[in-house]
Amino acid sequence: MKNFNSSVGFLPATFTLVGIPGLEGEHIWISIPFCLMYIIIFLGNGIILHVIRTDPALHQPMYLFLAMLALAEVGVSASTFPTVVGIFLFGMSEITFEACLLQMFSIHSFSLIESAVLLAMTVDRFVAIYCPLRYTTILTLPRIFATGAILVLKSIMLMAPLPVLLQRLPFCGHNALSHSYCLHPNLIHLSCGDISVNNIYGLFIVTSTFGLDALLIVVSYGLILYTVLGIATGEGRKKALGTCGSHICAVLAYYVPMISVSMVHRFGHHVSPLLQSMMANAYLFFPPVVNPIVYSIKTKEISHSIVRMLSEKRTRV
């Protein structure tokens, strides 16, 4: 048969990516904002990574965690790039089963890393405010790099069973996905078999990573606020809270779209596929577009380093 391999239980040879449901005839126009977003993501996060790497003044825990966040966001965007550009620019809507599993694994793994890094950045801010004199002795370079390695390893280990679980499911002729990329919730909904194990394990991943990270972030900011209120001077309180502004924006940019998408998937059974697709795009594209802009504007050290870099390039020319 052309599209299915019956020897492995009706596994589809390919999936069809719809893109944005209902707007199939407008792909060329839709490609313009997506291409602009990719340019902002890769250029903006690339600049952040470059200035942190080249400026010794930025070789501090706060900025090293920011570099990890930028890498995770580039990873998510690079994972979606081939299929999004393929659909909207070249009309290539099919993806092989194996490539779809790889893309799903990559998107979700980098998303888990992104959430964990946001938690690590919250802990970094708490340590900086609670015990500033011991800040650099607590968050040493080996500990920071070990933290990054653990976050990557944890995400890979949690995501590794998902492709295996999906390969055991029969799809029985259903192979049209309602997004421009492969996500686990959409893949299991195409199956005509028992998806209870996939649902339970998916829920376990969500609660043990995103849910726990969000809870610990809220608790950490409660401790930060308690510590800040104990600072004697108003100027000191303002300065301490000012160091958290960019990070709070990054947390909101990540978790608000994610919670919205989760609510729609769980309870919005009558929500139109177009709205679901737009919300999923907001979840994946909004944080990596917004965060480089926010950090470049609100973080004085980053903005000064970018200005110096541009000035040096101008003088060389």
Side-chain angles (χ1 to χ4, degrees):
M1 296 177 68
K2 180 180 178 182
N3 290 327
F4 294 88
N5 186 341
S6 58
S7 66
V8 289
F10 298 101
L11 290 182
T14 61
F15 285 110
T16 300
L17 299 170
V18 174
I20 299 180
L23 298 177
E24 289 83 358
E26 310 295 333
H27 279 181
I28 291 297
W29 295 106
I30 295 172
S31 69
I32 296 173
F34 275 104
C35 289
L36 289 174
M37 284 191 289
Y38 277 120
I39 290 170
I40 294 171
I41 290 168
F42 293 130
L43 183 61
N45 285 288
I47 290 173
I48 295 289
L49 288 168
H50 178 72
V51 297
I52 291 174
R53 184 181 68 85
T54 57
D55 190 344
L58 299 180
H59 294 173
Q60 299 178 34
M62 173 182 175
Y63 304 111
L64 294 176
F65 284 124
L66 175 57
M68 293 182 196
L69 181 66
L71 282 171
E73 291 178 340
V74 168
V76 171
S77 300
S79 301
T80 63
F81 180 80
T83 51
V84 171
V85 171
I87 291 168
F88 295 124
L89 276 183
F90 305 108
M92 299 167 59
S93 60
E94 289 197 342
I95 182 172
T96 65
F97 182 76
E98 293 77 12
C100 190
L101 293 184
L102 178 61
Q103 185 182 54
M104 177 210 70
F105 176 85
S106 181
I107 291 173
H108 289 309
S109 294
F110 280 115
S111 295
L112 294 183
I113 294 170
E114 191 175 353
S115 176
V117 170
L118 286 171
L119 173 59
M121 294 172 78
T122 309
V123 174
D124 166 77
R125 290 299 81 211
F126 172 70
V127 174
I129 292 171
Y130 184 74
C131 43
L133 298 179
R134 299 176 54 206
Y135 175 57
T136 54
T137 59
I138 294 174
L139 293 175
T140 60
L141 287 180
R143 286 176 180 171
I144 292 170
F145 290 127
T147 299
I150 290 171
L151 298 184
V152 171
L153 185 61
K154 183 193 78 169
S155 300
I156 292 173
M157 290 177 65
L158 283 172
M159 286 303 305
L162 284 186
V164 178
L165 291 174
L166 280 167
Q167 285 180 313
R168 71 177 184 83
L169 294 176
F171 287 85
C172 309
H174 308 294
N175 70 332
L177 294 168
S178 58
H179 295 309
S180 310
Y181 30 76
C182 298
L183 299 175
H184 182 255
N186 298 106
L187 285 169
I188 62 173
H189 287 153
L190 290 183
S191 173
C192 56
D194 182 12
I195 61 172
S196 56
V197 174
N198 298 70
N199 270 326
I200 292 169
Y201 188 70
L203 184 61
F204 166 74
I205 291 177
V206 170
T207 53
S208 64
T209 55
F210 300 119
L212 185 60
D213 292 345
L215 176 62
L216 292 176
I217 287 172
V218 171
V219 171
S220 297
Y221 267 106
L223 295 172
I224 288 172
L225 186 60
Y226 178 80
T227 304
V228 168
L229 292 175
I231 298 175
T233 64
E235 186 63 30
R237 289 194 291 268
K238 183 179 178 180
K239 184 178 179 182
L241 286 175
T243 63
C244 301
S246 299
H247 180 255
I248 291 173
C249 291
V251 169
L252 293 174
Y254 182 80
Y255 282 104
V256 170
M258 187 197 73
I259 292 171
S260 301
V261 169
S262 299
M263 295 291 286
V264 167
H265 273 295
R266 295 289 174 187
F267 307 110
H269 301 295
H270 302 293
V271 175
S272 70
L274 175 60
L275 180 59
Q276 291 187 30
S277 178
M278 296 301 289
M279 292 181 71
N281 286 326
Y283 162 56
L284 290 178
F285 286 92
F286 188 67
V289 167
V290 170
N291 285 340
I293 298 172
V294 169
Y295 276 97
S296 299
I297 294 173
K298 291 185 67 67
T299 306
K300 191 183 300 181
E301 292 79 6
I302 294 288
S303 59
H304 287 175
S305 185
I306 292 173
V307 170
R308 278 197 305 272
M309 178 189 71
L310 295 175
S311 300
E312 289 173 3
K313 288 187 179 294
R314 193 179 297 116
T315 54
R316 288 174 190 171
V317 174

